[in-house]
Amino acid sequence: MKSISSHGLLITFEGCDGGGKTTQLRRLAERLQQEHWPFLKLREPGGTDISEAIRAILLKKSAVSLFPETELLLFAASRAQLVREVMEPALQAGEIVLCDRFMDSTTVYQGVARCLSMESVQAINSLAIGAVKPHLTFVLDITPEVSRQRLLQRNLCGMDRMEEEDVAFYTAVREGYLRLAAENSDRMMVIDANQEESVIANLIWERVKMAWLAR
Ligand code: TYD
């Protein structure tokens, strides 16, 4: 697929819940700010009024009756809005767009872990993103057991609907990411998330610097 921007850069952060994506995204944003490189920080689902409203439906604890197909379409709807309203204009303006989760989350969570047809997931993903494709994707890899532990520590007041899934679900998520990364090694980089936070931040920074200077 042809990328929409020849100047901007779309960088996505992926992995099991609790792997430290959000921390690393923040650290990269701080670094970009120091360097005065233009960037924008986004999260999925969310990032526009419509997408945030969809996020509330998706993560609400009481939404247990949400069917996997409904879930897939809602994640895609949130993304379709974010891509057109925010991402495309920023990439066309030459910015570095950092996104906490993107289409690979749908492939892995809805396609692999929820066992929806991969053909449908790919078709819907492709409709949602149009010509916008990540240039770089960092997969922060941790075991499902560590993921559970970190989530329990972080969410002392309770987990959201997705986080309440069991270890088998997160095992499928992890394996899904590792397989996807092996198939897309041109843009996806798996990082052992058990490493020191600053070591991971430096790895990411070096890779981003290379991509930005080579664009
Ligand atoms: P969030 O609180 O943003 O979690 P995290 O900090 O781990 O990103 O919740 C997003 C949840 O939604 C997370 O469990 C992953 C899930 N998700 C999907 O299942 N499919 C998707 O396409 C996306 C974007 C997220």
Side-chain angles (χ1 to χ4, degrees):
M1 189 188 306
K2 193 174 166 297
S3 161
I4 189 152
S5 77
S6 49
H7 302 293
L9 211 57
L10 173 58
I11 302 174
T12 59
F13 287 75
E14 296 278 357
C16 286
D17 303 66
K21 291 176 288 81
T22 311
T23 306
Q24 289 300 332
L25 192 148
R26 180 182 43 76
R27 289 188 70 132
L28 177 58
E30 285 165 5
R31 199 77 191 247
L32 293 172
Q33 190 138 32
Q34 282 165 15
E35 301 289 330
H36 303 292
W37 291 1
F39 73 95
L40 183 66
K41 225 170 92 186
L42 300 170
R43 71 163 179 187
E44 276 222 25
T48 70
D49 288 351
I50 290 173
S51 311
E52 290 290 337
I54 297 173
R55 178 186 176 90
I57 300 173
L58 277 163
L59 300 184
K60 195 167 68 182
K61 262 192 143 179
S62 59
V64 279
S65 58
L66 209 60
F67 290 99
E69 291 79 2
T70 317
E71 185 181 279
L72 167 66
L73 291 166
L74 286 174
F75 277 117
S78 162
R79 180 165 311 129
Q81 186 69 26
L82 179 71
V83 161
R84 286 154 188 84
E85 191 177 321
V86 182
M87 277 186 175
E88 278 184 0
L91 290 169
Q92 273 162 356
E95 290 187 43
I96 302 175
V97 177
L98 309 180
C99 198
D100 195 336
R101 298 195 179 280
F102 196 53
M103 60 180 199
D104 299 319
S105 285
T106 307
T107 305
V108 169
Y109 280 76
Q110 281 64 55
V112 178
R114 293 266 194 249
C115 301
L116 288 174
S117 130
M118 206 40 99
E119 212 179 36
S120 307
V121 170
Q122 274 164 2
I124 289 166
N125 251 348
S126 155
L127 176 70
I129 65 174
V132 170
K133 207 185 169 209
H135 298 87
L136 264 183
T137 299
F138 296 106
V139 179
L140 291 160
D141 180 47
I142 43 165
T143 62
E145 291 75 19
V146 176
S147 165
R148 297 294 311 157
Q149 259 171 24
R150 289 190 184 175
L151 283 182
L152 284 170
Q153 280 163 4
R154 187 172 79 187
N155 300 332
L156 292 173
C157 306
M159 310 234 215
D160 68 36
R161 192 181 59 87
M162 297 300 293
E163 290 169 343
E164 283 190 335
E165 292 295 341
D166 59 15
V167 168
F169 181 86
Y170 281 100
T171 303
V173 167
R174 183 184 186 213
E175 283 167 7
Y177 271 122
L178 295 178
R179 210 174 324 127
L180 196 64
E183 289 162 7
N184 293 276
S185 55
D186 55 326
R187 70 169 172 93
M188 294 181 84
M189 179 177 172
V190 178
I191 297 178
D192 176 0
N194 288 308
Q195 299 177 91
E196 186 82 17
E197 206 182 288
S198 59
V199 172
I200 300 177
N202 281 335
L203 271 173
I204 292 176
W205 173 240
E206 288 306 319
R207 191 70 194 78
V208 168
K209 213 161 53 176
M210 235 163 57
W212 178 247
L213 299 174
R215 78 200 187 281

